[in-house]
């Protein structure tokens, strides 16, 4: 803790004065983050570092396993964060970000030991579909490969849950929301993005189009339904 406290002093003495204009603007005008990132609470994954974000750039929600529970009337931190980001801050891009060597995904793969952590076990049930997909469709995988596959499937599952949230669903219908699924390989220092068209996770590369899980487009199904009547 002494080392961390020393960094706080460094922020007060050096970092804050050097960025006084930026902090002053944020204090006066408030925040207008460019995206909401829902990432794992793992200490090795720092969303702001990955995106090289400045204060005010990124709205962040972190939890074990980058989980997004399906929408329900029961209040929760993730649900409230998503609702506030979309409805109050007008965020139009949401990133669900998983990573390699994830402890939560290891627990999904092999729940041994969760008996002493009932809250963790209950929380991880929101990722049960990911484990079931891998067990049913890729039963030959084991060890690290199985955990990686569950981690990737979990991103897709949580994006599906995200779409059940009313604020997100409405923004999607208006063509004002883009959803992203990212996977950070902390061993390779590489970020993969979910291509919603191909269903594949592909490396993010400079000079290439950004792969998106769900591109922003106005929904026209209702218009066609009315015309058919």
């Amino acid at each position: 803790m002494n080392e961390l406290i020393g960094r706080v002093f460094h922020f007060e003495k050096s970092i804050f004065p050097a960025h006084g204009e930026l902090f002053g603007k944020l204090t006066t005008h408030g925040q207008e983050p460019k995206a909401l990132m829902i990432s794992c609470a793992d200490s090795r994954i720092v969303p702001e570092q990955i995106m090289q974000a400045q204060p005010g750039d990124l709205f962040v929600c972190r939890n074990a396993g980058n989980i997004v529970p399906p929408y329900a009337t029961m209040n929760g931190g993730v649900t409230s964060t998503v609702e506030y980001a979309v409805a109050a801050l007008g965020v139009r891009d949401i990133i669900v970000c998983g990573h390699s060597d994830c402890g939560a995904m290891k627990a999904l793969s092999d729940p041994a030991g969760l008996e002493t952590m009932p809250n963790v076990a209950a929380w991880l049930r929101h990722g049960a579909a990911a484990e079931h997909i891998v067990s049913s469709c890729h039963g030959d995988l084991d060890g690290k490969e199985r955990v990686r596959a569950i981690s990737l499937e979990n991103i897709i599952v949580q994006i599906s849950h995200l779409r059940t949230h009313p604020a997100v669903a409405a923004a999607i219908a208006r063509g004002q929301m883009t959803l992203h699924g990212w996977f950070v390989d902390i061993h390779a220092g590489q970020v993969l993005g979910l291509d919603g068209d191909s269903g594949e996770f592909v490396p993010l590369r400079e000079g290439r189009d950004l792969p998106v899980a769900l591109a922003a487009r106005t929904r026209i199904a209702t218009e066609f339904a009315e015309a058919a009547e």
Side-chain angles (χ1 to χ4, degrees), residues 8-202:
V8 173
F9 296 152
H10 176 66
F11 171 80
E12 292 179 349
K13 294 178 181 179
S14 302
I15 303 301
F16 184 82
H19 295 83
E21 182 178 349
L22 171 60
F23 286 110
K25 180 180 178 181
L26 293 173
T27 302
T28 303
H29 300 289
Q31 60 173 325
E32 295 180 356
K34 299 176 178 64
L36 163 64
M37 178 177 277
I38 301 169
S39 69
C40 188
D42 193 298
S43 62
R44 297 167 294 178
I45 301 298
V46 183
E48 294 85 354
Q49 183 184 49
I50 292 168
M51 297 192 72
Q52 294 294 286
Q54 293 294 317
D57 285 346
L58 198 60
F59 205 60
V60 178
C61 179
R62 302 182 67 172
N63 63 71
N66 43 276
I67 298 290
V68 182
Y71 182 79
T73 55
M74 183 181 297
N75 190 32
V78 178
T79 300
S80 300
T81 300
V82 169
E83 186 174 81
Y84 185 80
V86 178
L89 299 179
V91 165
R92 295 193 173 194
D93 288 87
I94 302 179
I95 306 161
V96 176
C97 183
H99 65 97
S100 60
D101 197 41
C102 179
M105 298 302 103
K106 289 179 180 178
L108 266 180
S109 177
D110 180 6
L114 286 181
E115 300 84 1
T116 60
M117 295 181 283
N119 285 290
V120 174
W123 178 251
L124 291 180
R125 291 192 189 104
H126 293 302
E131 188 280 328
H132 187 69
I133 289 169
V134 173
S135 293
S136 300
C137 303
H138 308 286
D140 58 315
L141 297 179
D142 58 16
K144 293 182 178 179
E145 290 185 346
R146 173 174 160 81
V147 172
R148 184 182 180 93
I150 292 174
S151 300
L152 294 171
E153 289 292 347
N154 182 60
I155 293 169
I156 298 172
V157 168
Q158 303 314 320
I159 289 175
S160 297
H161 292 172
L162 184 61
R163 297 183 65 176
T164 68
H165 291 241
V168 175
I172 291 172
R174 291 192 300 267
Q176 297 176 348
M177 177 63 65
T178 300
L179 302 182
H180 308 262
W182 287 7
F183 178 83
V184 179
D185 190 325
I186 59 178
H187 304 87
Q190 184 180 68
V191 179
L192 308 179
L194 174 61
D195 185 323
D197 292 329
S198 68
E200 298 179 330
F201 281 86
V202 297

